[in-house]
mmCIF file of all heavy atoms in Angstrom:
data_model
loop_
_atom_site.group_PDB
_atom_site.id
_atom_site.type_symbol
_atom_site.label_atom_id
_atom_site.label_comp_id
_atom_site.label_asym_id
_atom_site.label_seq_id
_atom_site.Cartn_x
_atom_site.Cartn_y
_atom_site.Cartn_z
ATOM 1 N N LEU A 77 -5.315 55.440 11.773
ATOM 2 C CA LEU A 77 -6.209 54.632 12.608
ATOM 3 C C LEU A 77 -6.104 55.029 14.081
ATOM 4 O O LEU A 77 -7.041 54.823 14.858
ATOM 5 C CB LEU A 77 -5.875 53.137 12.461
ATOM 6 C CG LEU A 77 -6.094 52.509 11.085
ATOM 7 C CD1 LEU A 77 -5.632 51.055 11.103
ATOM 8 C CD2 LEU A 77 -7.547 52.588 10.655
ATOM 9 N N LYS A 78 -4.938 55.548 14.487
ATOM 10 C CA LYS A 78 -4.693 56.006 15.866
ATOM 11 C C LYS A 78 -5.022 54.926 16.896
ATOM 12 O O LYS A 78 -5.714 55.168 17.885
ATOM 13 C CB LYS A 78 -5.499 57.277 16.147
ATOM 14 C CG LYS A 78 -5.092 58.444 15.245
ATOM 15 C CD LYS A 78 -5.907 59.686 15.516
ATOM 16 C CE LYS A 78 -5.466 60.823 14.595
ATOM 17 N NZ LYS A 78 -6.286 62.050 14.778
ATOM 18 N N LEU A 79 -4.494 53.737 16.656
ATOM 19 C CA LEU A 79 -4.755 52.614 17.557
ATOM 20 C C LEU A 79 -4.162 52.823 18.946
ATOM 21 O O LEU A 79 -4.633 52.230 19.915
ATOM 22 C CB LEU A 79 -4.200 51.325 16.947
ATOM 23 C CG LEU A 79 -4.887 50.825 15.669
ATOM 24 C CD1 LEU A 79 -4.167 49.597 15.132
ATOM 25 C CD2 LEU A 79 -6.356 50.509 15.918
ATOM 26 N N ASP A 80 -3.137 53.676 19.029
ATOM 27 C CA ASP A 80 -2.483 53.857 20.324
ATOM 28 C C ASP A 80 -3.414 54.456 21.380
ATOM 29 O O ASP A 80 -3.181 54.329 22.582
ATOM 30 C CB ASP A 80 -1.233 54.728 20.182
ATOM 31 C CG ASP A 80 -1.545 56.082 19.544
ATOM 32 O OD1 ASP A 80 -2.550 56.186 18.817
ATOM 33 O OD2 ASP A 80 -0.771 57.027 19.779
ATOM 34 N N LYS A 81 -4.511 55.086 20.957
ATOM 35 C CA LYS A 81 -5.418 55.672 21.950
ATOM 36 C C LYS A 81 -6.193 54.602 22.723
ATOM 37 O O LYS A 81 -6.836 54.902 23.725
ATOM 38 C CB LYS A 81 -6.400 56.639 21.283
ATOM 39 C CG LYS A 81 -7.476 56.016 20.416
ATOM 40 C CD LYS A 81 -8.372 57.096 19.836
ATOM 41 C CE LYS A 81 -9.480 56.511 18.983
ATOM 42 N NZ LYS A 81 -10.373 57.551 18.417
ATOM 43 N N PHE A 82 -6.108 53.347 22.262
ATOM 44 C CA PHE A 82 -6.795 52.257 22.960
ATOM 45 C C PHE A 82 -5.868 51.517 23.924
ATOM 46 O O PHE A 82 -6.234 50.509 24.492
ATOM 47 C CB PHE A 82 -7.393 51.275 21.949
ATOM 48 C CG PHE A 82 -8.362 51.928 21.011
ATOM 49 C CD1 PHE A 82 -8.002 52.183 19.691
ATOM 50 C CD2 PHE A 82 -9.615 52.312 21.441
ATOM 51 C CE1 PHE A 82 -8.890 52.811 18.831
ATOM 52 C CE2 PHE A 82 -10.508 52.939 20.589
ATOM 53 C CZ PHE A 82 -10.142 53.190 19.283
ATOM 54 N N LYS A 83 -4.673 52.052 24.097
ATOM 55 C CA LYS A 83 -3.715 51.421 24.999
ATOM 56 C C LYS A 83 -3.649 52.195 26.301
ATOM 57 O O LYS A 83 -3.425 53.408 26.311
ATOM 58 C CB LYS A 83 -2.325 51.384 24.359
ATOM 59 C CG LYS A 83 -1.276 50.694 25.216
ATOM 60 C CD LYS A 83 0.059 50.669 24.497
ATOM 61 C CE LYS A 83 1.112 49.998 25.355
ATOM 62 N NZ LYS A 83 2.428 49.969 24.685
ATOM 63 N N SER A 84 -3.827 51.506 27.415
ATOM 64 C CA SER A 84 -3.726 52.132 28.733
ATOM 65 C C SER A 84 -2.269 52.168 29.177
ATOM 66 O O SER A 84 -1.482 51.282 28.846
ATOM 67 C CB SER A 84 -4.546 51.358 29.768
ATOM 68 O OG SER A 84 -5.911 51.394 29.437
ATOM 69 N N VAL A 85 -1.923 53.191 29.930
ATOM 70 C CA VAL A 85 -0.567 53.263 30.478
ATOM 71 C C VAL A 85 -0.511 52.473 31.779
ATOM 72 O O VAL A 85 -1.522 52.194 32.403
ATOM 73 C CB VAL A 85 -0.142 54.731 30.738
ATOM 74 C CG1 VAL A 85 -0.121 55.522 29.461
ATOM 75 C CG2 VAL A 85 -1.073 55.386 31.766
ATOM 76 N N GLU A 86 0.710 52.088 32.175
ATOM 77 C CA GLU A 86 0.877 51.408 33.460
ATOM 78 C C GLU A 86 0.510 52.361 34.603
ATOM 79 O O GLU A 86 0.890 53.535 34.586
ATOM 80 C CB GLU A 86 2.332 50.943 33.624
ATOM 81 C CG GLU A 86 2.739 49.829 32.670
ATOM 82 C CD GLU A 86 1.984 48.552 32.918
ATOM 83 O OE1 GLU A 86 1.692 48.257 34.093
ATOM 84 O OE2 GLU A 86 1.659 47.860 31.947
ATOM 85 N N GLU A 87 -0.229 51.853 35.577
ATOM 86 C CA GLU A 87 -0.718 52.701 36.658
ATOM 87 C C GLU A 87 0.270 52.732 37.828
ATOM 88 O O GLU A 87 0.043 52.169 38.892
ATOM 89 C CB GLU A 87 -2.097 52.225 37.119
ATOM 90 C CG GLU A 87 -3.155 52.357 36.028
ATOM 91 C CD GLU A 87 -4.542 51.984 36.505
ATOM 92 O OE1 GLU A 87 -4.671 51.415 37.619
ATOM 93 O OE2 GLU A 87 -5.517 52.235 35.787
ATOM 94 N N ASP A 88 1.403 53.396 37.607
ATOM 95 C CA ASP A 88 2.409 53.514 38.662
ATOM 96 C C ASP A 88 2.199 54.764 39.510
ATOM 97 O O ASP A 88 2.844 54.939 40.548
ATOM 98 C CB ASP A 88 3.814 53.552 38.047
ATOM 99 C CG ASP A 88 4.164 52.236 37.360
ATOM 100 O OD1 ASP A 88 3.680 51.195 37.837
ATOM 101 O OD2 ASP A 88 4.903 52.269 36.373
ATOM 102 N N HIS A 89 1.335 55.635 39.065
ATOM 103 C CA HIS A 89 1.149 56.916 39.740
ATOM 104 C C HIS A 89 -0.328 57.268 39.727
ATOM 105 O O HIS A 89 -1.071 56.838 38.831
ATOM 106 C CB HIS A 89 1.975 57.979 39.002
ATOM 107 C CG HIS A 89 2.052 59.293 39.706
ATOM 108 N ND1 HIS A 89 1.151 60.309 39.490
ATOM 109 C CD2 HIS A 89 2.934 59.758 40.630
ATOM 110 C CE1 HIS A 89 1.467 61.349 40.241
ATOM 111 N NE2 HIS A 89 2.547 61.047 40.940
ATOM 112 N N TRP A 90 -0.772 58.078 40.704
ATOM 113 C CA TRP A 90 -2.187 58.452 40.768
ATOM 114 C C TRP A 90 -2.659 59.129 39.495
ATOM 115 O O TRP A 90 -3.795 58.943 39.054
ATOM 116 C CB TRP A 90 -2.436 59.368 41.969
ATOM 117 C CG TRP A 90 -1.745 60.708 41.883
ATOM 118 C CD1 TRP A 90 -0.521 61.026 42.351
ATOM 119 C CD2 TRP A 90 -2.264 61.900 41.262
ATOM 120 N NE1 TRP A 90 -0.206 62.335 42.068
ATOM 121 C CE2 TRP A 90 -1.274 62.904 41.405
ATOM 122 C CE3 TRP A 90 -3.456 62.215 40.605
ATOM 123 C CZ2 TRP A 90 -1.439 64.196 40.908
ATOM 124 C CZ3 TRP A 90 -3.618 63.506 40.118
ATOM 125 C CH2 TRP A 90 -2.622 64.475 40.276
ATOM 126 N N PHE A 91 -1.753 59.907 38.846
ATOM 127 C CA PHE A 91 -2.132 60.603 37.618
ATOM 128 C C PHE A 91 -2.447 59.605 36.498
ATOM 129 O O PHE A 91 -3.351 59.817 35.693
ATOM 130 C CB PHE A 91 -1.003 61.537 37.183
ATOM 131 C CG PHE A 91 -1.309 62.301 35.919
ATOM 132 C CD1 PHE A 91 -2.189 63.373 35.929
ATOM 133 C CD2 PHE A 91 -0.727 61.928 34.716
ATOM 134 C CE1 PHE A 91 -2.473 64.068 34.756
ATOM 135 C CE2 PHE A 91 -1.011 62.617 33.556
ATOM 136 C CZ PHE A 91 -1.888 63.694 33.573
ATOM 137 N N ASP A 92 -1.673 58.502 36.453
ATOM 138 C CA ASP A 92 -1.920 57.471 35.437
ATOM 139 C C ASP A 92 -3.296 56.840 35.619
ATOM 140 O O ASP A 92 -3.994 56.554 34.653
ATOM 141 C CB ASP A 92 -0.841 56.390 35.512
ATOM 142 C CG ASP A 92 0.538 56.926 35.162
ATOM 143 O OD1 ASP A 92 0.607 57.878 34.364
ATOM 144 O OD2 ASP A 92 1.522 56.401 35.696
ATOM 145 N N ARG A 93 -3.685 56.612 36.861
ATOM 146 C CA ARG A 93 -4.995 56.011 37.133
ATOM 147 C C ARG A 93 -6.123 56.935 36.676
ATOM 148 O O ARG A 93 -7.107 56.497 36.072
ATOM 149 C CB ARG A 93 -5.133 55.688 38.619
ATOM 150 C CG ARG A 93 -4.249 54.546 39.081
ATOM 151 C CD ARG A 93 -4.694 54.001 40.427
ATOM 152 N NE ARG A 93 -4.496 54.953 41.512
ATOM 153 C CZ ARG A 93 -3.344 55.084 42.171
ATOM 154 N NH1 ARG A 93 -2.298 54.343 41.862
ATOM 155 N NH2 ARG A 93 -3.229 55.960 43.159
ATOM 156 N N ILE A 94 -5.963 58.223 36.951
ATOM 157 C CA ILE A 94 -6.976 59.201 36.527
ATOM 158 C C ILE A 94 -7.053 59.261 35.005
ATOM 159 O O ILE A 94 -8.137 59.268 34.409
ATOM 160 C CB ILE A 94 -6.656 60.595 37.108
ATOM 161 C CG1 ILE A 94 -6.855 60.584 38.624
ATOM 162 C CG2 ILE A 94 -7.537 61.667 36.468
ATOM 163 C CD1 ILE A 94 -6.408 61.855 39.310
ATOM 164 N N ARG A 95 -5.885 59.275 34.354
ATOM 165 C CA ARG A 95 -5.860 59.364 32.898
ATOM 166 C C ARG A 95 -6.519 58.139 32.259
ATOM 167 O O ARG A 95 -7.280 58.265 31.298
ATOM 168 C CB ARG A 95 -4.412 59.500 32.400
ATOM 169 C CG ARG A 95 -4.328 59.667 30.890
ATOM 170 C CD ARG A 95 -2.990 60.174 30.440
ATOM 171 N NE ARG A 95 -1.891 59.335 30.865
ATOM 172 C CZ ARG A 95 -0.623 59.512 30.453
ATOM 173 N NH1 ARG A 95 -0.336 60.506 29.647
ATOM 174 N NH2 ARG A 95 0.332 58.720 30.872
ATOM 175 N N ASN A 96 -6.246 56.957 32.787
ATOM 176 C CA ASN A 96 -6.866 55.749 32.254
ATOM 177 C C ASN A 96 -8.382 55.776 32.418
ATOM 178 O O ASN A 96 -9.126 55.363 31.531
ATOM 179 C CB ASN A 96 -6.296 54.501 32.937
ATOM 180 C CG ASN A 96 -4.946 54.110 32.369
ATOM 181 O OD1 ASN A 96 -4.584 54.526 31.272
ATOM 182 N ND2 ASN A 96 -4.190 53.319 33.107
ATOM 183 N N LYS A 97 -8.853 56.256 33.575
ATOM 184 C CA LYS A 97 -10.300 56.313 33.810
ATOM 185 C C LYS A 97 -10.969 57.308 32.869
ATOM 186 O O LYS A 97 -12.051 57.056 32.342
ATOM 187 C CB LYS A 97 -10.585 56.676 35.267
ATOM 188 C CG LYS A 97 -10.335 55.520 36.228
ATOM 189 C CD LYS A 97 -10.687 55.879 37.657
ATOM 190 C CE LYS A 97 -10.466 54.687 38.582
ATOM 191 N NZ LYS A 97 -10.785 55.005 39.990
ATOM 192 N N LEU A 98 -10.308 58.450 32.640
ATOM 193 C CA LEU A 98 -10.849 59.442 31.717
ATOM 194 C C LEU A 98 -10.895 58.894 30.295
ATOM 195 O O LEU A 98 -11.876 59.068 29.565
ATOM 196 C CB LEU A 98 -9.995 60.713 31.756
ATOM 197 C CG LEU A 98 -10.204 61.639 32.955
ATOM 198 C CD1 LEU A 98 -9.141 62.734 32.957
ATOM 199 C CD2 LEU A 98 -11.602 62.251 32.933
ATOM 200 N N LYS A 99 -9.812 58.209 29.902
ATOM 201 C CA LYS A 99 -9.756 57.633 28.567
ATOM 202 C C LYS A 99 -10.861 56.604 28.372
ATOM 203 O O LYS A 99 -11.545 56.578 27.352
ATOM 204 C CB LYS A 99 -8.385 56.986 28.317
ATOM 205 C CG LYS A 99 -8.207 56.447 26.910
ATOM 206 C CD LYS A 99 -6.879 55.737 26.731
ATOM 207 C CE LYS A 99 -5.726 56.682 26.746
ATOM 208 N NZ LYS A 99 -4.455 56.003 26.385
ATOM 209 N N MET A 100 -11.088 55.750 29.381
ATOM 210 C CA MET A 100 -12.127 54.742 29.293
ATOM 211 C C MET A 100 -13.517 55.389 29.210
ATOM 212 O O MET A 100 -14.370 54.975 28.436
ATOM 213 C CB MET A 100 -12.064 53.775 30.483
ATOM 214 C CG MET A 100 -13.097 52.659 30.431
ATOM 215 S SD MET A 100 -12.899 51.439 31.758
ATOM 216 C CE MET A 100 -11.471 50.544 31.169
ATOM 217 N N SER A 101 -13.725 56.428 30.002
ATOM 218 C CA SER A 101 -15.012 57.118 29.999
ATOM 219 C C SER A 101 -15.305 57.732 28.635
ATOM 220 O O SER A 101 -16.408 57.621 28.105
ATOM 221 C CB SER A 101 -15.028 58.212 31.068
ATOM 222 O OG SER A 101 -14.889 57.663 32.347
ATOM 223 N N LEU A 102 -14.284 58.375 28.051
ATOM 224 C CA LEU A 102 -14.463 58.989 26.740
ATOM 225 C C LEU A 102 -14.700 57.941 25.671
ATOM 226 O O LEU A 102 -15.525 58.120 24.764
ATOM 227 C CB LEU A 102 -13.218 59.824 26.391
ATOM 228 C CG LEU A 102 -13.031 61.103 27.215
ATOM 229 C CD1 LEU A 102 -11.656 61.702 26.949
ATOM 230 C CD2 LEU A 102 -14.116 62.116 26.881
ATOM 231 N N THR A 103 -13.980 56.820 25.754
ATOM 232 C CA THR A 103 -14.146 55.749 24.776
ATOM 233 C C THR A 103 -15.547 55.174 24.829
ATOM 234 O O THR A 103 -16.185 54.954 23.788
ATOM 235 C CB THR A 103 -13.104 54.638 25.024
ATOM 236 O OG1 THR A 103 -11.796 55.183 24.874
ATOM 237 C CG2 THR A 103 -13.283 53.509 24.028
#
Side-chain angles (χ1 to χ4, degrees):
L77 295 177
K78 298 179 180 177
L79 293 176
D80 56 336
K81 71 180 181 180
F82 302 105
K83 182 179 179 180
S84 297
V85 298
E86 292 295 325
E87 296 184 349
D88 295 328
H89 189 269
W90 65 269
F91 180 75
D92 295 330
R93 290 196 292 275
I94 291 173
R95 183 164 57 172
N96 281 341
K97 285 183 178 179
L98 283 171
K99 184 184 290 188
M100 182 174 285
S101 297
L102 290 170
T103 299

